[in-house]
Amino acid sequence: MALFLKEGYANVTVEAVADASSVSRRTVFRYFASKDELVFPDHTERLGLVERCLAAAPEGTDPVDAVIMATEESLREFLSRPELVLRRYKLTRIVPELRRREVVEHERYVALTRSYLRDHLPPDAPPFQPMALAALIDAIHRSALGNWVREGGATDPEAELAAGMEWVRRMMMHQSAFSSAPLLLAVLPDTPQTRQVLTSLKAAGQELP
C-alpha cells in the first residue's frame, strides 16, 4: 500500500511489488489473481469471519441479531489493522477503479448476509426484507467505518455502529408489534387538546418494552 501511494498505483507493477516484498512474481500470483486484489488482501478473510460467526450463532438466535453480531465482529477485525485501512482509503480516493472495486467487495458482504436472512427469517416475512435488512446493516457499518477513516481514526466507529444497530433492532420491534395487532385509524381535529392526548400516547408508547 505504501508503494502504491508513493509511486502511483498505475506506475507500480506486480514485479515491483514482488521485489519490495522479497518474493517472486509467481509467489504473488499464488495468493492474488490480479494487481487489484493486492489492495484488498483482507476482504476474503473477513468474509470467512462473517460466515463463521453466522454459522456459530446459537440455535434460537434472532437472525437479525446474528447478522448484527457478525457485522460488529467484522468491524472489530477491520479496526485491528488501522494502517491498512487508512492507507487503502487514501488510495481508493485517488484511483477510481479501486473505488469501484471496493464497492464490489462490499456487495459480497451484502450477498452473504442476505442469503443468511433469506434462509432464517420467518416464512411470513416480506420477500423484500432479506435484501433490505442486509443492505441497511451494511450501510450503517460502512458509514461508521467511513467516518472513522475520513477523520483519520479520530471517531468511535464501534459506538456509532452500536447506535445504528440499536436503531435497527427498535425498527424490527415496532414492525413486530404492528404486525401482531390490529391497526386503528382515526382522523382527529387539530386542537390543543388533541395534541396533548397524542403527546401522552406517544410518551406511553415509548415506555413499552
Side-chain angles (χ1 to χ4, degrees):
M1 213 68 70
L3 189 62
F4 288 149
L5 287 169
K6 179 181 178 182
E7 304 293 338
Y9 179 74
N11 299 324
V12 177
T13 63
V14 172
E15 287 79 4
V17 172
D19 289 343
S21 306
S22 300
V23 299
S24 68
R25 184 175 184 275
R26 179 178 296 179
T27 297
V28 173
F29 281 116
R30 187 178 303 156
Y31 293 96
F32 303 98
S34 67
K35 190 172 85 168
D36 286 358
E37 286 194 7
L38 289 166
V39 182
F40 305 97
D42 51 331
H43 276 275
T44 297
E45 176 186 334
R46 192 170 298 105
L47 274 168
L49 170 66
V50 171
E51 192 168 21
R52 290 192 300 274
C53 288
L54 293 174
E59 187 175 350
T61 300
D62 181 275
V64 176
D65 270 334
V67 171
I68 287 174
M69 288 186 287
T71 302
E72 291 171 337
E73 189 62 31
S74 172
L75 179 66
R76 283 191 287 270
E77 209 284 330
F78 257 117
L79 298 176
S80 71
R81 305 177 186 182
E83 283 302 316
L84 170 63
V85 179
L86 292 170
R87 285 177 172 177
R88 177 163 55 211
Y89 173 75
K90 293 178 183 178
L91 189 61
T92 56
R93 298 289 79 77
I94 58 178
V95 184
E97 60 265 35
L98 292 181
R99 176 59 182 152
R100 290 191 289 270
R101 174 62 182 266
E102 188 174 45
V103 172
V104 171
E105 290 292 331
H106 278 290
E107 284 302 314
R108 296 171 68 193
Y109 293 93
V110 174
L112 176 61
T113 55
R114 178 186 64 214
S115 177
Y116 178 85
L117 289 169
R118 189 172 54 238
D119 292 341
H120 291 83
L121 283 171
D124 60 347
F128 61 80
Q129 200 166 70
M131 182 66 215
L133 285 169
L136 175 60
I137 290 171
D138 180 67
I140 295 171
H141 174 220
R142 282 190 290 159
S143 174
L145 187 61
N147 289 337
W148 180 77
V149 295
R150 280 189 291 273
E151 296 298 324
T155 65
D156 187 344
E158 291 189 65
E160 187 175 334
L161 181 66
M165 295 302 102
E166 185 57 31
W167 177 74
V168 172
R169 288 188 175 100
R170 288 199 306 271
M171 181 181 67
M172 295 303 295
M173 287 174 60
H174 286 311
Q175 174 188 288
S176 176
F178 280 124
S179 63
S180 62
L183 297 179
L184 176 64
L185 179 64
V187 179
L188 303 172
D190 187 6
T191 65
Q193 292 82 3
T194 299
R195 289 177 176 273
Q196 184 177 3
V197 171
L198 290 176
T199 300
S200 299
L201 288 172
K202 182 179 179 181
Q206 290 173 341
E207 293 175 1
L208 293 175

